[in-house]
Amino acid sequence: MADSSVLTSTEITSLADSSILDSKVTETFKENLCMTSTSNIDEMPQIETRLVLVQEAGKQEELVTAIKEIKVPCVKMDSMEEFGGLDSPEFENVFVVTDFQNSVFNDLRKTDSRIVGPPVILNCAQKGEPLPFSCRPLYCTSMLNLVLCFTGFRKKEELVNLVTLVHHMGGVIRKECNSKVTHLVANCTQGEKFRIAVSLGTPIMKPEWIYKAWERRDEQCFCAAVDDFRNEFKVSPFQDCILSFLGFSDEEKKSMEEMTEMQGGSCLPVGDERCTHLIVEENTVKELPFEPSKKLFVVKQEWFWGSIQMDARAGETMYLYEKTNTPELKKSVSLLSLSTPNSNRKRRRLRETLAQLSRETDISPFPPRKRPSAEHSLSIGSLLDISNTPESSIHYGETPKSCSKSSRSSTPVPPKQSARWQVAKELYQTESNYVNILATIIQLFQVPLEEEGQRGGPILAPEEIKTIFGSIPDIFDVHMKIKDDLEDLIVNWDESKSIGDIFLKYSKDLVKTYPPFVNFFEMSKETIIKCERQKPRFHAFLKINQAKPECGRQSLVELLIRPVQRLPSVALLLNDLKKHTADENPDKSTLEKAIGSLKEVMTHINEDKRKTEAQKQIFDVVYEVDGCPANLLSSHRSLVQRVETVSLGEYPCDRGEQVTLFLFNDCLEIARKRHKVIGTFRSPHDRTRPPASLKHIHLMPLSQIKKVLDIRETEDCHNAFALLVRPPTEQANVLLSFQMTSEELPKENWLKMLCRHVANTICKADAENLMYMADPESFEVNTKDMDSTLSRASRAIKKTSKKVTRAFSFSKTPKRALRIALSSSHSSEGRSPPSSGKLGVSRLSSTSSLAGIPSPSLVSLPSFFERRSHTLSRSTTHLI
């Protein structure tokens, strides 16, 4: 479609380039100012601005109040008959009109009067600014400072209406699209203006953007250029495009068709005459199945992904698909063939040249054949390090200072290549390839994502980029130095030169740079997968760059795993180098130290990773348990085991309640299953977490656990255990009994694990003495009918009765307040002990042998069980 937006000023005055008209008004104003400055200023009459409220504008109380705030005189006018009486040399009248389409507005416009809408007055009163000067009627300022250009409009009436609305909202119109244009309003996705806007990164908008902005003209502080509003009306990359796909797998084709519809296009089968574009997989399609029409664009898939990444339709001429078996190509191949009389001599010369290059260029990007010993000893990760990665790479913007440094093209080959030299050369080659991989990650992925002024806005948020790449630039800088030192050593080779010193020199730098990346590699991988799934532009960015030869057909995740694999590979190569180093060589001991330093680095990484994973597990517990105390988060604390149980007593919750025990190295978190789960948690990085499924009961230090009771297995008691606990503020013992519901962890292993950590906490070596075998009858513990229908119904009725009691309670006094009041009353009366029969309290007489303290006749309530209405104490005869 031809670009038909250019209309001459003779056709209609409102379509003239308003920027030129505004400049002419400014020049005229300056000339008049200069002329008046030469005259006597004292003789000039002072002209004051006066607002004239036309018809409905005078009835708006909010508008009248705003005029009083800006302290501008005003009068009212009901009809055009009063217009002549308002003319005065002392005032410049500014007419306030509510309707820019009625007859009064048209009459005032013919008189070249200044006309504004009520939003202009209200906005000036709110911001304390003077009235803006405009040579055209100005209803609002929602498009103030915006410069618009139009393209693709064939109907003059539609274009006139759009231009008028833009002027009414304070916008400026330009005929030519250049760098000063802030927005291009397009009715098609072709033409010179469209291509210029795409190249300049100018937002391309639909006409509906102007209409919707005009509908919101009465909203104060509304701006049409706000991203949230503007993005709704941007021209989609595949608007007016009908695509078909050739040479892709069914899964790829389905994904690309879905993405096409998301980007405003539609799809049809290959060969349909209505198609505007045929997307071809150039690696699989050698010849088109039909002769395309002249109107059909046959393009490579790079055009598809490039359009999505730029958020605009890319130019097709750069991405046209060319058939490989064209007559022109065959002709060029025949002209270049070696079928001349001197072909044998040329072939011989070519072979000699290649042989010379192979002798000189020992630093080859192609991997050498590995020795059998290395093939058996190296891991998969180290094998991936020696890859065919070209040293050439595309530079985007600024890169680390070492990226552009080129290595020496050739090295002198010793007359007799020793095994030590061969391993050293292999070490340098793998290091060079590894540095090239890091440079590819930085130059091809990180730098373009961090560039400012990206077409369509940033592809990823800064925190997402930081999460993905982490300390890759720092790792690159360290290994660039190692590579340079290895290169100098290889160029000036001598058997006595030390390779181990190079790695000892940078061991501290490796400790600083590697742990932050290795420990959060899984998070980096998850971020890439999530962003690729949720952000089409990032998906297109990866598709474009991963298809480039620099990546070697590897994905970004596959490239980022190389730092995780590199240090073990280097350690293996250094170990191999040590085997081929003579005992009298000083580098023998240095290599041993270098290997030890690398192992220390890897140990530090593993230890740091273990701590990081432990901290992550604690955070997961905090997110899963509602009301979990903040002091659970501690740098020295780690999660040991999670056990699913059922409460067998009245503590820490009702019998039959599902309880989860989180054993940490110094404490025990007790949580019950929530009866009702509401809401979700959204982290600062927009990660939606599931709602908390557990409710916090108590965080118990392991030092409070005095004994661990292993309940014998009987017909009525299965997989049960108990804890004898003494809170720090009480002189009483509380018995907590549970039944393990998971069969994955044997009860014996769980109890031994618990005793071991309790012993470590209280600094005792005899962990076995903390555990006792007990009969279930001694403590009235049984698991019979825990999962029966009657038991579940009984628990449900009990919960319901509690809810009903709370709902119909006339006393809103909290139970804790009642207890405090009762306790104070008892204290004033001498605090006589209550009857055990009334409160359901039994005695615990012989627990002193367990806890090592004298046991009182009555067991008082611990602080964290005060929510209950009765306590626990019972008598026991003996423990086996």
Side-chain angles (χ1 to χ4, degrees):
M1 183 183 294
D3 195 344
S4 58
S5 65
V6 180
L7 299 176
T8 61
S9 59
T10 57
E11 292 176 333
I12 182 162
T13 307
S14 63
L15 297 185
D17 195 331
S18 58
S19 60
I20 300 176
L21 181 59
D22 293 340
S23 62
K24 290 182 179 179
V25 172
T26 304
E27 291 175 0
T28 305
F29 176 76
K30 290 181 179 179
E31 290 177 0
N32 295 336
L33 184 63
C34 293
M35 291 175 62
T36 55
S37 62
T38 57
S39 60
N40 190 358
I41 300 179
D42 296 336
E43 296 179 359
M44 288 181 59
Q46 298 296 326
I47 300 177
E48 187 177 3
T49 301
R50 180 175 64 180
L51 296 176
V52 181
L53 305 182
V54 180
Q55 294 179 340
E56 296 296 328
K59 301 177 183 179
Q60 296 183 3
E61 296 181 0
E62 184 182 7
L63 184 60
V64 175
T65 304
I67 293 175
K68 292 179 181 179
E69 292 180 1
I70 61 178
K71 299 178 181 180
V72 176
C74 68
V75 295
K76 297 182 180 181
M77 187 184 79
D78 295 329
S79 62
M80 284 300 296
E81 285 76 10
E82 304 176 13
F83 178 78
L86 296 174
D87 191 12
S88 171
E90 299 178 357
F91 295 101
E92 180 190 9
N93 293 322
V94 178
F95 295 87
V96 183
V97 182
T98 58
D99 188 359
F100 272 32
Q101 293 181 346
N102 58 15
S103 58
V104 177
F105 170 77
N106 294 329
D107 294 337
L108 289 173
R109 189 177 184 182
K110 293 177 182 177
T111 61
D112 293 332
S113 301
R114 286 182 61 186
I115 307 173
V116 297
V120 175
I121 307 299
L122 297 174
N123 189 47
C124 291
Q126 182 181 8
K127 297 182 179 180
E129 298 176 351
L131 291 175
F133 177 83
S134 177
C135 58
R136 300 184 188 85
L138 181 66
Y139 188 86
C140 63
T141 58
S142 57
M143 284 193 174
L144 194 66
N145 300 325
L146 300 187
V147 181
L148 276 64
C149 184
F150 292 85
T151 183
F153 291 88
R154 290 188 175 275
K155 297 180 180 180
K156 185 170 66 176
E157 295 79 6
E158 181 183 8
L159 185 59
V160 169
N161 186 29
L162 290 171
V163 170
T164 302
L165 295 180
V166 172
H167 286 159
H168 289 346
M169 291 184 285
V172 177
I173 308 297
R174 285 187 179 271
K175 291 197 300 183
E176 301 298 332
C177 185
N178 50 36
S179 59
K180 295 183 179 179
V181 173
T182 60
H183 297 80
L184 176 69
V185 182
N187 203 29
C188 69
T189 56
Q190 296 184 20
E192 182 182 358
K193 292 183 180 180
F194 187 89
R195 296 267 69 85
I196 293 175
V198 171
S199 62
L200 294 176
T202 304
I204 304 174
M205 311 302 298
K206 300 177 182 177
E208 289 79 5
W209 174 56
I210 298 175
Y211 292 128
K212 290 295 181 181
W214 179 249
E215 291 178 4
R216 300 178 61 176
R217 60 187 179 275
D218 291 319
E219 297 181 17
Q220 293 189 39
C221 302
F222 168 71
C223 179
V226 176
D227 291 340
D228 294 339
F229 175 75
R230 184 185 64 183
N231 291 339
E232 299 179 14
F233 306 100
K234 292 180 68 174
V235 173
S236 303
F238 300 136
Q239 179 176 308
D240 303 329
C241 296
I242 304 175
L243 310 183
S244 58
F245 301 92
L246 179 64
F248 299 92
S249 64
D250 294 339
E251 185 179 355
E252 288 179 322
K253 182 179 178 182
K254 182 180 179 181
S255 175
M256 296 174 79
E257 287 177 349
E258 292 176 354
M259 202 161 292
T260 300
E261 294 177 358
M262 289 173 55
Q263 302 297 327
S266 58
C267 301
L268 286 175
V270 175
D272 196 301
E273 296 180 355
R274 293 171 292 176
C275 289
T276 59
H277 294 76
L278 175 63
I279 317 299
V280 179
E281 169 56 82
E282 61 272 17
N283 296 323
T284 58
V285 177
K286 303 302 180 184
E287 189 174 355
L288 298 178
F290 63 94
E291 187 65 27
S293 62
K294 295 182 179 180
K295 297 181 179 180
L296 180 66
F297 290 105
V298 182
V299 293
K300 304 175 184 177
Q301 62 170 329
E302 192 176 354
W303 173 86
F304 178 84
W305 299 117
S307 299
I308 297 176
Q309 180 187 335
M310 293 190 304
D311 202 19
R313 178 177 168 181
E316 291 82 2
T317 55
M318 296 176 58
Y319 305 97
L320 292 178
Y321 171 75
E322 298 178 357
K323 292 185 292 185
T324 56
N325 295 327
T326 57
E328 292 79 5
L329 183 60
K330 291 181 180 179
K331 183 177 180 180
S332 62
V333 172
S334 62
L335 290 176
L336 292 173
S337 63
L338 301 177
S339 59
T340 60
N342 298 326
S343 60
N344 293 331
R345 186 173 62 217
K346 291 183 178 180
R347 289 195 192 98
R348 186 170 58 254
R349 186 182 305 166
L350 179 61
R351 284 196 299 268
E352 292 175 356
T353 304
L354 292 175
Q356 179 67 20
L357 288 175
S358 64
R359 287 194 299 269
E360 291 181 356
T361 312
D362 58 339
I363 306 172
S364 171
F366 296 96
R369 189 177 184 275
K370 287 187 165 293
R371 298 174 308 284
S373 60
E375 290 180 358
H376 291 293
S377 60
L378 288 180
S379 61
I380 296 177
S382 61
L383 289 174
L384 290 173
D385 285 334
I386 310 172
S387 60
N388 179 14
T389 306
E391 297 209 9
S392 60
S393 57
I394 300 176
H395 293 263
Y396 294 93
E398 294 184 1
T399 57
K401 57 184 180 181
S402 310
C403 279
S404 58
K405 188 175 180 179
S406 60
S407 60
R408 295 168 177 81
S409 59
S410 62
T411 59
V413 181
K416 184 179 180 180
Q417 299 178 2
S418 63
R420 175 177 161 84
W421 187 88
Q422 291 284 357
V423 179
K425 186 188 71 170
E426 181 178 345
L427 177 62
Y428 169 72
Q429 288 173 338
T430 57
E431 188 69 18
S432 178
N433 290 336
Y434 178 59
V435 168
N436 291 333
I437 290 172
L438 296 178
T440 298
I441 294 173
I442 295 172
Q443 299 166 0
L444 212 59
F445 295 96
Q446 184 177 3
V447 173
L449 289 172
E450 291 177 344
E451 280 184 348
E452 297 181 357
Q454 298 178 29
R455 177 69 176 87
I459 297 177
L460 293 180
E463 58 270 15
E464 292 172 333
I465 299 175
K466 180 64 177 176
T467 303
I468 291 174
F469 298 100
S471 58
I472 284 289
D474 299 329
I475 295 175
F476 173 82
D477 291 337
V478 174
H479 280 274
M480 194 67 195
K481 296 174 184 177
I482 295 175
K483 179 206 166 201
D484 291 342
D485 290 353
L486 288 175
E487 185 174 348
D488 292 337
L489 186 143
I490 295 294
V491 169
N492 305 300
W493 176 255
D494 188 271
E495 291 289 337
S496 61
K497 288 197 173 182
S498 176
I499 297 177
D501 284 336
I502 297 176
F503 291 93
L504 287 175
K505 178 181 176 183
Y506 298 104
S507 60
K508 293 183 179 180
D509 295 330
L510 296 175
V511 172
K512 292 179 182 178
T513 57
Y514 268 91
F517 181 83
V518 176
N519 294 340
F520 294 96
F521 172 73
E522 291 299 327
M523 186 181 297
S524 171
K525 181 180 175 181
E526 292 173 3
T527 304
I528 293 174
I529 296 173
K530 184 198 74 171
C531 293
E532 188 176 6
R533 183 175 61 252
Q534 297 179 356
K535 301 186 177 184
R537 292 182 60 208
F538 181 64
H539 178 72
F541 173 81
L542 292 182
K543 283 287 185 180
I544 293 173
N545 289 284
Q546 289 173 172
K548 293 180 179 178
E550 293 90 325
C551 293
R553 295 188 177 183
Q554 297 180 80
S555 65
L556 178 58
V557 174
E558 293 171 335
L559 293 175
L560 286 174
I561 202 176
R562 297 305 181 86
V564 181
Q565 303 165 338
R566 181 55 187 165
L567 292 185
S569 176
V570 173
L572 290 174
L573 287 172
L574 290 182
N575 195 31
D576 202 2
L577 188 66
K578 188 185 73 171
K579 293 178 182 178
H580 294 88
T581 302
D583 294 338
E584 61 274 9
N585 194 324
D587 195 29
K588 184 91 171 182
S589 59
T590 309
L591 285 172
E592 292 179 355
K593 294 179 182 179
I595 295 171
S597 67
L598 282 180
K599 289 182 178 179
E600 290 179 3
V601 172
M602 290 185 284
T603 303
H604 181 80
I605 291 172
N606 294 334
E607 181 66 19
D608 201 30
K609 185 177 182 181
R610 186 189 63 80
K611 292 180 180 179
T612 303
E613 291 175 350
Q615 292 296 315
K616 183 178 180 296
Q617 289 177 340
I618 298 179
F619 274 104
D620 292 338
V621 173
V622 173
Y623 291 136
E624 187 178 1
V625 179
D626 182 26
C628 187
N631 59 0
L632 179 65
L633 298 172
S634 177
S635 59
H636 70 275
R637 184 167 292 141
S638 60
L639 179 64
V640 178
Q641 186 65 48
R642 171 181 178 152
V643 178
E644 301 294 338
T645 67
V646 174
S647 177
L648 297 179
E650 296 300 324
Y651 303 103
C653 54
D654 294 335
R655 176 179 170 84
E657 288 267 14
Q658 297 183 22
V659 178
T660 302
L661 303 178
F662 295 95
L663 175 62
F664 294 89
N665 58 324
D666 62 342
C667 63
L668 182 70
E669 166 65 21
I670 305 175
R672 65 168 176 83
K673 184 179 180 181
R674 295 185 64 182
H675 305 309
K676 186 181 293 185
V677 179
I678 302 174
T680 58
F681 174 80
R682 185 174 293 275
S683 70
H685 296 292
D686 200 28
R687 293 168 179 244
T688 303
R689 291 185 176 271
S693 58
L694 302 174
K695 180 70 175 178
H696 167 75
I697 296 178
H698 182 63
L699 180 61
M700 180 194 306
L702 294 183
S703 58
Q704 295 183 13
I705 300 178
K706 301 307 176 183
K707 296 296 176 183
V708 178
L709 306 181
D710 184 3
I711 309 298
R712 279 196 178 93
E713 298 291 321
T714 63
E715 294 181 359
D716 296 336
C717 188
H718 176 65
N719 230 16
F721 69 95
L723 304 177
L724 189 67
V725 179
R726 186 201 308 157
T729 59
E730 302 292 335
Q731 294 295 323
N733 298 320
V734 177
L735 191 69
L736 311 180
S737 55
F738 305 94
Q739 179 191 18
M740 297 179 64
T741 58
S742 175
E743 300 293 338
E744 297 179 359
L745 178 66
K747 183 180 71 170
E748 182 181 1
N749 296 351
W750 156 246
L751 296 181
K752 288 182 178 179
M753 184 188 306
L754 178 60
C755 290
R756 185 173 67 253
H757 284 87
V758 172
N760 292 338
T761 303
I762 61 178
C763 299
K764 284 190 176 182
D766 51 346
E768 297 81 5
N769 295 334
L770 293 173
M771 186 165 60
Y772 282 82
M773 185 70 70
D775 292 324
E777 295 82 7
S778 302
F779 296 92
E780 297 181 1
V781 175
N782 70 84
T783 61
K784 188 177 180 180
D785 299 331
M786 288 298 297
D787 294 328
S788 65
T789 304
L790 182 60
S791 178
R792 289 195 297 268
S794 175
R795 292 196 296 269
I797 292 172
K798 191 173 182 180
K799 293 174 186 176
T800 305
S801 64
K802 287 184 179 180
K803 294 179 181 178
V804 173
T805 302
R806 288 195 297 266
F808 288 93
S809 175
F810 293 98
S811 175
K812 300 301 180 183
T813 308
K815 291 183 179 180
R816 185 174 178 83
L818 287 175
R819 290 197 203 96
I820 295 173
L822 289 174
S823 63
S824 62
S825 175
H826 282 300
S827 63
S828 63
E829 297 176 2
R831 298 189 65 179
S832 59
S835 172
S836 61
K838 292 182 181 180
L839 295 178
V841 180
S842 58
R843 299 182 180 275
L844 183 63
S845 58
S846 58
T847 54
S848 58
S849 61
L850 298 178
I853 62 168
S855 178
S857 59
L858 289 177
V859 180
S860 59
L861 280 171
S863 59
F864 61 94
F865 294 127
E866 284 185 354
R867 69 190 69 175
R868 303 296 176 182
S869 60
H870 59 280
T871 61
L872 171 69
S873 63
R874 54 168 291 112
S875 59
T876 59
T877 56
H878 68 280
L879 292 174
I880 299 177

